[in-house]
Amino acid sequence: MGINTFPENFLWGGAVAANQCEGAYLEGGKGLSVQDVLPHGLRGARTEEPTPDNLKLKGIDFYHRYREDIKLFAEMGFKVFRTSISWPRIFPEGDEEQPNEEGLLFYDNLFDECRKYGIEPLVTISHYETPLGLAKKYDGWRSRKLVDFFERYCRTIFQRYGKKVKYWLTFNEINSLIHAPFMSGGIITPKEKLTEQDLYQAMHHELVASALAVKIGHEQMPDAKIGCMILGITAYPLTPDPDDIIATMMKDRETLMFADIHARGKYPVYLTNMFAEKGIRIQMEPEDKELLKNTVDFISFSYYSSICQTVHSELGIDTGGNLSRGYKNPYLKASQWGWQIDPKGLRYTLNKLYDRYQLPLFIVENGLGAVDELITLENGEKTVEDDYRIDYLRQHLLQAREAIHDGVELLGYTSWGCIDLVSASTAEMKKRYGYIYVDRNDDGSGSFERYRKKSFYWYKKVIESNGASLDEAIG
């Protein structure tokens, strides 16, 4: 491997989530998910029933257009495509004894289409899409019963897709449960009424379920690689004050405790000490400690930006992404949505995680949300001149390459929103991430037609050259 290239079998690709792209929210026997009652995204109020202003109900119509989209991904040269299975497509209420055959068939066809082009599916089992039935009947992951329902779901999809899917992720951004208990964990009880005891007990249920999925997956699919997925919140101290250093360490632990348990198979001492200090008593079943020993094959994470931490709040300006609140770094620029752009933070994050765990890593989300302008060229082709996106991705990939040179074992890179989709944080279409423009607007209008952006051709060249073209200036 040359210094300016990536490993020979590097998995280049892109990522989406079922709830942000599929649409067809009640087609094919699908039940409702928590996303179907979140019309305004992460920070908006939920509704009792789906409402017409929820763009996710139609998404980008991937459910009907996936063949067209996967063909475009193949044209770019994707080696891997990260998507998720909609849990309520398989078990509409979540607690049925038998799965929905029509839902199973949809993903059969989807994965077959990927394999037709030599694209490996990377499948997230639960991506912010707990069946609404489980939320209403059991208060989501607060209930231990969800471990059993999740086990049934996993056994079903592993049995069905085990020969089609090699790479699996258990829960998307599992550490987000602490910050967004309804979206991440289907917990109906309002966040302000939840105690830390409630939240950490729900966390334990998800961690046990994740370890159980690893155990079952390895039993049913000996060749499969099963990873965890964490929300990568990279934090720096705002000042050299030792108290800021400690504050940053504590912020890091909010993320790392989930990876620690997935990678090491037990609760870290710092977490059990915190439980003792706060009077939190995690109720464990006799088999839980043994189950947690089923550790992951690799660690995947999202990375968009970094934040600072300080005890001197008068010195800081609030900033952050969807779930990563912190203070503004005066040395960094920010996106249109206020997310600070920090490519070198990706190299730092990769090294930190690899030094800590010595497990293969996978960047499964990274990208720039921006307002794109669709233009028509002289030849009549419609496109977006998104040099700003190319620059963001290029700078991050260069730093990923540096991390590989540092000695990090990096399996692959799936940029977020490889095709425009509905934003998780704001439920908008105008916050676009993709290489492919989708003609749909925030008011619900649009033809759903697809158009290749300038970044489409740029990423195609990156993949063809296995990263060597990153050294070329943006033309």
Side-chain angles (χ1 to χ4, degrees):
M1 182 184 74
I3 193 170
N4 67 334
T5 59
F6 285 72
E8 184 177 349
N9 297 317
F10 193 75
L11 293 168
W12 295 99
V16 300
N19 68 82
Q20 291 170 257
C21 71
E22 282 183 5
Y25 82 108
L26 283 181
E27 292 186 45
K30 178 184 172 294
L32 295 177
S33 83
V34 294
Q35 293 289 346
D36 295 326
V37 293
L38 285 174
H40 306 294
L42 175 62
R43 296 190 181 93
R46 65 177 182 260
T47 56
E48 285 301 312
E49 297 294 334
T51 54
D53 59 337
N54 188 345
L55 295 182
K56 287 171 284 188
L57 303 184
K58 290 186 178 179
I60 58 167
D61 199 29
F62 182 77
Y63 184 83
H64 298 109
R65 295 173 178 255
Y66 68 88
R67 290 184 175 88
E68 171 189 353
D69 294 336
I70 291 169
K71 185 177 181 180
L72 287 167
F73 301 155
E75 184 182 336
M76 274 187 280
F78 277 22
K79 312 297 182 187
V80 64
F81 172 51
R82 180 191 172 209
T83 189
S84 61
I85 294 175
S86 170
W87 187 353
R89 278 206 192 281
I90 311 303
F91 290 96
E93 290 295 315
D95 57 359
E96 293 92 346
E97 291 286 338
Q98 298 299 320
N100 169 35
E101 176 60 29
E102 198 169 350
L104 288 167
L105 183 59
F106 169 73
Y107 293 105
D108 268 323
N109 294 334
L110 172 59
F111 301 147
D112 286 345
E113 196 71 14
C114 289
R115 291 213 159 270
K116 182 172 85 174
Y117 293 102
I119 298 172
E120 288 277 3
L122 168 61
V123 175
T124 310
I125 299 170
S126 180
H127 192 133
Y128 293 162
E129 201 159 4
T130 306
L132 188 61
L134 296 184
K136 289 184 173 180
K137 294 178 193 176
Y138 304 97
D139 209 7
W141 283 97
R142 281 188 67 195
S143 170
R144 176 79 188 202
K145 290 182 179 179
L146 263 73
V147 176
D148 297 329
F149 301 139
F150 189 74
E151 177 183 357
R152 182 182 300 155
Y153 168 47
C154 287
R155 288 188 184 278
T156 299
I157 60 176
F158 291 161
Q159 179 67 34
R160 184 76 171 223
Y161 310 124
K163 294 181 180 178
K164 300 181 181 185
V165 178
K166 179 180 179 181
Y167 297 98
W168 299 85
L169 306 177
T170 54
F171 289 88
N172 179 71
E173 296 182 333
I174 189 168
N175 48 318
S176 63
L177 177 74
I178 304 301
H179 308 282
F182 179 69
M183 185 179 75
S184 185
I187 298 174
I188 289 280
T189 300
K191 185 178 180 181
E192 62 273 12
K193 293 185 178 180
L194 288 170
T195 64
E196 287 189 309
Q197 172 74 44
D198 294 328
L199 279 173
Y200 285 109
Q201 187 65 53
M203 175 195 82
H204 177 71
H205 294 154
E206 282 200 351
L207 287 166
V208 168
S210 182
L212 185 57
V214 173
K215 178 179 185 293
I216 296 166
H218 284 155
E219 290 170 352
Q220 293 188 202
M221 308 174 295
D223 296 328
K225 300 296 181 184
I226 307 171
C228 62
M229 196 282 195
I230 57 175
L231 168 66
I233 304 175
T234 295
Y236 308 131
L238 186 63
T239 77
D241 183 341
D243 285 338
D244 279 6
I245 307 298
I246 297 298
T248 303
M249 179 184 76
M250 301 304 287
K251 184 67 175 179
D252 276 345
R253 286 178 172 177
E254 289 182 13
T255 300
L256 295 175
M257 64 184 181
F258 289 84
D260 283 349
I261 296 164
H262 275 108
R264 295 172 174 166
K266 61 182 181 180
Y267 277 66
V269 172
Y270 65 80
L271 184 56
T272 56
N273 285 346
M274 185 197 79
F275 289 162
E277 290 165 6
K278 293 188 173 187
I280 296 169
R281 292 179 173 83
I282 301 299
Q283 183 174 345
M284 293 196 186
E285 299 301 320
E287 69 272 18
D288 286 1
K289 286 188 177 181
E290 281 301 310
L291 277 175
L292 289 175
K293 292 178 183 178
N294 291 280
T295 54
V296 293
D297 300 311
F298 64 94
I299 293 173
S300 74
F301 63 97
S302 58
Y303 179 86
Y304 295 96
S305 61
S306 61
I307 57 174
C308 289
Q309 292 293 294
T310 184
V311 297
H312 306 287
S313 57
E314 72 280 1
L315 299 178
I317 301 172
D318 286 348
T319 189
N322 285 356
L323 300 165
S324 53
R325 311 307 298 174
Y327 293 97
K328 186 177 180 180
N329 187 326
Y331 295 97
L332 299 176
K333 296 179 181 179
S335 74
Q336 290 171 277
W337 271 264
W339 299 20
Q340 292 208 278
I341 299 171
D342 181 17
K344 290 181 180 178
L346 178 57
R347 178 185 180 185
Y348 168 71
T349 301
L350 285 163
N351 275 275
K352 181 173 69 173
L353 292 174
Y354 193 70
D355 287 350
R356 190 176 182 99
Y357 302 115
Q358 295 292 297
L359 283 175
L361 304 178
F362 208 134
I363 303 165
V364 294
E365 288 188 30
N366 172 242
L368 178 69
V371 175
D372 290 340
E373 180 185 358
L374 188 68
I375 62 171
T376 304
L377 302 177
E378 290 183 1
N379 63 5
E381 179 185 352
K382 291 185 178 182
T383 190
V384 174
E385 299 281 354
D386 57 341
D387 286 351
Y388 43 88
R389 179 170 294 109
I390 293 171
D391 182 64
Y392 175 98
L393 294 167
R394 176 176 176 267
Q395 294 300 329
H396 282 78
L397 283 169
L398 285 170
Q399 292 302 317
R401 192 173 74 183
E402 288 293 326
I404 293 169
H405 188 59
D406 293 335
V408 171
E409 184 180 357
L410 185 59
L411 295 175
Y413 173 86
T414 58
S415 56
W416 177 250
C418 49
I419 182 170
D420 290 345
L421 36 68
V422 182
S423 167
S425 57
T426 62
E428 298 171 301
M429 278 300 303
K430 71 178 180 182
K431 186 182 183 185
R432 298 175 181 271
Y433 284 87
Y435 304 111
I436 300 162
Y437 185 95
V438 177
D439 181 25
R440 191 173 191 221
N441 305 305
D442 286 349
D443 64 3
S445 65
S447 66
F448 289 94
E449 288 301 304
R450 275 66 163 148
Y451 303 102
R452 299 167 183 82
K453 302 180 189 179
K454 183 177 180 180
S455 57
F456 179 101
Y457 301 103
W458 170 84
Y459 195 45
K460 175 180 170 68
K461 191 172 183 180
V462 170
I463 297 173
E464 284 176 346
S465 67
N466 201 29
S469 66
L470 293 168
D471 293 311
E472 299 174 5
I474 301 172

